[in-house]
Amino acid sequence: MERAIELAKECFDEGEVPVGAVIVKDEKITGEGKNKVIFENDVTSHAEINAIRDASKTIQNYRLNDCSMYVTLEPCHMCSKAIVDARIDRIVFAAPEPKTGSLISIDNLYERIKFNHQVKFEYGLLEEESANLLKNFFKERR
């Protein structure tokens, strides 16, 4: 999660919503991503999607079996479904996202729908650090 926070801080400095994600397999980072929505003019360029793309290239497989994702913010529906489709086993997110979070905030997607692949999740790891980064980002823009 510490590396995900570093990536989120890079986003902050670049004017992107500060969210970072890493994918780990066998205790080694195999992929990482950060928000690039503004930079790439691409609504799908979320940290989670970019981390999945990076990890898939690294292991040369679109299936990320036996991997865990660490992300600084609760995923949206798009990212949560991509995590399922990539066959990631577990996700750990730092802070809840009260407006678009699909796992505990506005929906309980993984508990509500029985997908063909089940993803375990937990949250709260470095929550305060991630939440403060987001609060400061939006405070500066108001």
Side-chain angles (χ1 to χ4, degrees):
M1 188 65 80
E2 290 173 359
R3 176 62 183 146
I5 294 281
E6 288 174 12
L7 291 165
K9 288 177 180 177
E10 289 176 17
C11 289
F12 186 102
D13 294 340
E14 295 164 356
E16 294 275 359
V17 175
V19 181
V22 297
I23 296 176
V24 175
K25 183 172 184 163
D26 299 325
E27 299 183 25
K28 180 183 174 198
I29 293 176
T30 59
E32 56 183 43
K34 59 185 178 179
N35 269 357
K36 292 184 177 183
V37 174
I38 296 167
F39 178 76
E40 293 184 357
N41 291 310
D42 180 355
V43 71
T44 68
S45 194
H46 289 198
E48 299 94 327
I49 301 294
N50 292 328
I52 289 169
R53 289 175 179 150
D54 189 42
S56 294
K57 286 178 187 174
T58 299
I59 68 169
Q60 297 184 347
N61 195 331
Y62 67 99
R63 296 272 169 94
L64 301 175
N65 295 311
D66 303 317
C67 289
S68 295
M69 177 182 281
Y70 295 83
V71 62
T72 58
L73 188 65
E74 179 182 3
C76 68
H77 284 85
M78 174 184 70
C79 292
S80 291
K81 185 58 168 78
I83 290 164
V84 169
D85 292 343
R87 305 295 194 269
I88 292 171
D89 289 337
R90 177 174 157 255
I91 178 170
V92 179
F93 63 90
E97 199 340 330
K99 294 182 180 179
T100 62
S102 67
L103 301 181
I104 63 168
S105 295
I106 64 164
D107 197 359
N108 296 64
L109 187 67
Y110 290 165
E111 295 171 0
R112 186 174 55 81
I113 298 176
K114 295 299 174 204
F115 292 107
N116 59 327
H117 174 75
Q118 299 300 304
V119 180
K120 298 175 190 128
F121 70 90
E122 57 191 86
Y123 62 95
L125 181 62
L126 298 179
E127 178 178 354
E128 187 174 332
E129 189 169 352
S130 177
N132 286 338
L133 191 59
L134 286 155
K135 286 175 191 171
N136 291 336
F137 177 82
F138 288 111
K139 187 178 179 181
E140 281 187 12
R141 271 134 192 85
R142 289 187 184 121

